[in-house]
């Protein structure tokens, strides 16, 4: 059975750790959207890896990793990652493939990202400035350059000339030379060529051969271009629909959907976040959870678990199970809060609003749960959790409407609790191992 693993909040839920952990059960791990705005952290025996474009299954020898057409690929960033892995003894040759339909991020996209943010002023998105938005803009506007286009030098030259000249019309303080961009793209394109495949076809062949595929999401549901807190979102479908469009697979290829969710909430960049804490508790969550962006190093905004947003993510993605991460960050708190509804003017609402302005005006309504003193850090069996931690998880399940099949109690691969009974009830016949 194939499993989709995606973010149920505003990104950085711990997808990298979970994907790496589950990979031995799969033959292929495939990324379906986003680009090197993602930063998926994996710790193996104390060594830290941050994966951006390459699927988080790559650390397991023999596993095939695919980058789908829905991903925007900065080839320089891709090879920086390949080289970094090689320095750590991980060879991707013959098992990392990229779709010929994936669009390229080229140097002018980054300039346009910065320009767009500067122009927005106070209303800036707080992007990762990796050129993600402008690359997807070019794709939708049908002037983007796809990886497959590298095979057609004449067409490539024309597209680079057009796009660089469009950039020069918009950015006034510097001028970019199209010849330099073309030379760099051609050079790096030559290195990319052996990896280029029809990823949809590869997946169809894999399904026919009975292979199991893990679909890895980047960002999170609340950053989804359609379903997130627009316009404070990224420019791709981070939610489940992105699997089909971003890889060229049918919906029945998705056997189960796992939402990764932190035991509290974080967000990096601008945009509404009803349960954000501006007080000492927010700082405590940031410090204890080491909540600083894996890509940009920016401090993440922290707050309590938001069950309104979670129920919404469950609906948008049809979540079967949750992986609840960073439980250990709550260790030692007397009192923990869960946001169960919003107060919006004189109304109490339990459904996540479509409009970001409405969401920004919402106040969280909390219920309190007693904390625990004994640490959950490193606990690997559900039975070994403190009773109040078990109560917290049960309450999360009740208010979110999705059972917790996996609990993460530390950044290490094996600091994880797998609940076989929950898994068997929700995804019968599907076995995971830790
Ligand atoms: P991703 O983008 O969803 O893959 O998440 P990030 O890697 O950006 O951020 C998650 C951070 O939390 C990383 O630094 C992980 O090493 C760390 N992490 C993941 N799970 C746990 C956990 O259960 N406990 C703690 N303390 N840290 C965790
Ligand atoms: P992973 O995969 C958290 C946020 C940015 C900004 C918004 C738009 O590690 O969970 P973009 O550069 O994509 O145009 O920025 O989206 N953002 C993320 N936040 N985790 C991510 O990825 C993110 N990728 C983008 O901070 O608010
Ligand atoms: Mg991240």
């Amino acid at each position: 059975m194939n499993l989709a693993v995606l973010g149920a909040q505003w990104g950085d839920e711990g997808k990298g750790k979970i994907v790496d952990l589950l990979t031995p059960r799969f033959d292929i791990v495939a990324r379906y959207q986003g680009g090197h705005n993602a930063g998926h952290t994996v710790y193996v025996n104390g060594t830290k890896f941050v994966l951006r474009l390459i699927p988080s299954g790559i650390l397991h020898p023999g596993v095939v990793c695919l980058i789908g057409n829905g991903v925007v690929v900065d080839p320089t960033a891709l090879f920086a990652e390949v080289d970094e892995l090689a320095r750590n003894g991980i060879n991707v040759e013959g098992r990392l493939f990229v779709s010929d339909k994936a669009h390229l991020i080229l140097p002018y996209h980054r300039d346009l990202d910065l320009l767009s943010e500067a122009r927005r002023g106070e209303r800036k998105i707080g992007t990762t400035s990796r050129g993600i938005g402008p690359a997807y803009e070019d794709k939708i506007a049908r002037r983007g350059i796809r990886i497959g286009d590298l095979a057609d030098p004449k067409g490539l030259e024309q597209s680079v000339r057009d796009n660089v000249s469009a950039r020069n019309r918009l950015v006034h303080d510097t001028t970019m030379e199209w010849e330099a961009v073309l030379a760099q793209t051609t050079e790096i394109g030559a290195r990319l060529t052996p990896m280029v495949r029809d990823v949809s076809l590869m997946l169809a062949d894999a399904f026919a051969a009975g292979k199991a595929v893990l679909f890895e999401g980047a960002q999170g549901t609340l950053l989804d271009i359609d379903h997130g807190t627009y316009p404070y979102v990224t420019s791709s479908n981070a939610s489940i629909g992105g699997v089909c469009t971003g890889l060229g697979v049918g919906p029945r290829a998705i056997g189960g959907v796992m939402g990764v969710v932190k035991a509290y909430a974080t967000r990096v960049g601008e945009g509404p976040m009803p349960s954000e804490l501006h007080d000492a508790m927010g700082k405590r969550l940031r410090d204890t959870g080491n909540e600083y962006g894996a890509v940009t190093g920016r401090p993440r905004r922290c707050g309590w678990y938001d069950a309104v947003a979670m129920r919404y993510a469950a609906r948008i993605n049809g979540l079967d199970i949750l992986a609840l991460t960073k439980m250990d960050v709550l260790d030692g708190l007397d009192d923990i809060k869960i946001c169960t509804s919003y107060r919006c003017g004189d109304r109490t609402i339990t459904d996540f609003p479509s409009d970001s302005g409405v969401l920004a005006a919402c106040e969280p309504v909390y219920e309190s749960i007693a904390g625990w003193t004994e640490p959950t850090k490193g606990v690997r069996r559900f039975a070994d959790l403190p009773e109040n931690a078990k109560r917290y998880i049960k309450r999360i399940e009740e208010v979110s409407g999705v059972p917790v099949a996996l609990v993460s109690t530390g950044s290490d691969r094996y600091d994880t609790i797998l609940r076989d009974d929950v898994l068997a009830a929700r995804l019968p016949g599907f076995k995971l191992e830790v």
Side-chain angles (χ1 to χ4, degrees):
M1 194 194 279
N2 307 319
L3 182 72
V5 177
L6 49 80
Q9 295 163 313
W10 280 284
D12 300 330
E13 298 90 348
K15 299 175 293 292
K17 165 179 166 162
I18 302 296
V19 169
D20 166 72
L21 173 82
L22 299 180
T23 293
R25 165 70 182 67
F26 296 89
D27 304 290
I28 297 175
V29 180
R31 265 278 299 271
Y32 58 88
Q33 46 68 240
H36 65 312
N37 49 349
H40 297 179
T41 314
V42 179
Y43 277 94
V44 186
N45 301 325
T47 304
K48 180 179 174 180
F49 296 87
V50 180
L51 297 153
R52 292 175 177 160
L53 272 164
I54 299 180
S56 306
I58 197 75
L59 304 181
H60 296 269
V63 169
V64 170
C65 288
L66 304 179
I67 296 177
N69 59 280
V71 177
V72 281
V73 179
D74 179 330
T76 308
L78 178 67
F79 286 114
E81 223 176 303
V82 167
D83 295 342
E84 174 71 18
L85 286 170
R87 277 193 289 278
N88 284 285
I90 291 150
N91 184 5
V92 305
E93 220 184 300
R95 63 189 190 99
L96 175 65
F97 302 103
V98 188
S99 168
D100 52 355
K101 292 181 189 162
H103 281 247
L104 286 170
I105 298 185
L106 293 177
Y108 48 84
H109 289 124
R110 185 186 159 85
D111 292 348
L112 295 172
D113 199 345
L114 294 171
L115 177 74
S116 158
E117 286 286 87
R119 282 192 172 166
R120 291 183 71 99
E122 295 263 283
R123 292 170 54 252
K124 72 174 199 287
I125 309 291
T127 71
T128 59
S129 63
R130 297 298 188 268
I132 304 293
Y136 279 116
E137 278 177 49
D138 280 359
K139 171 177 173 174
I140 301 300
R142 295 162 293 186
R143 56 171 177 255
I145 302 179
R146 306 203 297 184
I147 288 181
D149 297 336
L150 294 168
D152 165 24
K154 259 197 127 44
L156 179 67
E157 178 180 321
Q158 191 59 53
S159 299
V160 169
R161 286 176 85 139
D162 291 350
N163 290 352
V164 171
S165 100
R167 178 263 180 218
N168 287 340
R169 280 196 299 276
L170 290 164
V171 181
H172 298 133
D173 48 352
T174 57
T175 305
M176 193 171 267
E177 304 292 340
W178 69 264
E179 293 90 341
V181 176
L182 182 64
Q184 189 195 337
T185 309
T186 306
E187 188 190 331
I188 209 154
R191 195 174 168 196
L192 202 53
T193 305
M195 293 182 184
V196 181
R197 291 289 187 284
D198 181 334
V199 162
S200 165
L201 185 60
M202 278 185 88
L203 284 168
D205 289 345
F207 300 150
K211 294 196 168 147
V213 181
L214 191 160
F215 306 114
E216 177 181 5
Q219 290 84 51
T221 305
L222 304 176
L223 288 172
D224 183 283
I225 183 71
D226 285 288
H227 302 293
T229 52
Y230 192 89
Y232 300 99
V233 291
T234 190
S235 300
S236 65
N237 285 117
S239 62
I240 193 68
V243 173
C244 293
T245 56
L247 286 165
V249 302
R252 272 182 282 273
I254 307 168
V257 190
M258 172 188 272
V260 185
V261 61
K262 276 182 199 173
Y264 50 98
T266 67
R267 170 164 206 167
V268 57
E270 307 301 319
M273 177 183 178
S275 68
E276 180 174 10
L277 294 166
H278 298 281
D279 58 6
M281 184 56 73
K283 184 175 180 322
R284 187 203 180 275
L285 291 172
R286 184 175 314 113
D287 291 347
T288 314
N290 191 24
E291 296 294 355
Y292 294 90
V295 171
T296 58
R298 290 180 291 175
R300 295 176 185 148
R301 300 154 64 191
C302 298
W304 295 119
Y305 187 89
D306 184 340
V308 182
M310 187 59 228
R311 288 193 295 270
Y312 175 71
R315 163 157 59 89
I316 295 296
N317 297 300
L319 295 183
D320 294 302
I321 47 175
L322 293 181
L324 186 68
T325 62
K326 303 195 99 163
M327 259 309 267
D328 54 297
V329 175
L330 302 180
D331 286 355
L333 295 178
D334 295 333
D335 183 55
I336 303 172
K337 291 189 167 55
I338 297 179
C339 168
T340 51
S341 61
Y342 299 148
R343 191 78 199 147
C344 199
D346 52 5
R347 291 181 309 138
T348 298
I349 58 172
T350 51
D351 288 319
F352 197 72
S354 305
D355 185 89
S356 277
V358 173
L359 186 64
C362 286
E363 294 290 332
V365 177
Y366 291 120
E367 67 175 47
S368 288
I369 299 233
W372 49 90
T373 44
E374 322 85 289
T376 66
K377 188 158 185 60
V379 169
R380 296 176 183 191
R381 286 173 3 138
F382 193 76
D384 295 340
L385 285 173
E387 286 310 311
N388 280 356
K390 288 183 197 159
R391 280 192 200 101
Y392 183 70
I393 294 168
K394 181 156 183 283
R395 193 62 192 141
I396 291 279
E397 292 181 312
E398 286 165 358
V399 294
S400 311
V402 190
V404 171
L406 212 149
V407 184
S408 173
T409 58
S411 48
D412 188 84
R413 234 183 221 173
Y414 301 108
D415 287 343
T416 311
I417 297 166
L418 184 62
R419 299 173 80 192
D420 293 313
D421 49 337
V422 174
L423 200 61
R426 282 306 286 241
L427 295 174
F430 189 70
K431 282 236 170 322
L432 289 177
E433 277 155 35
V434 170

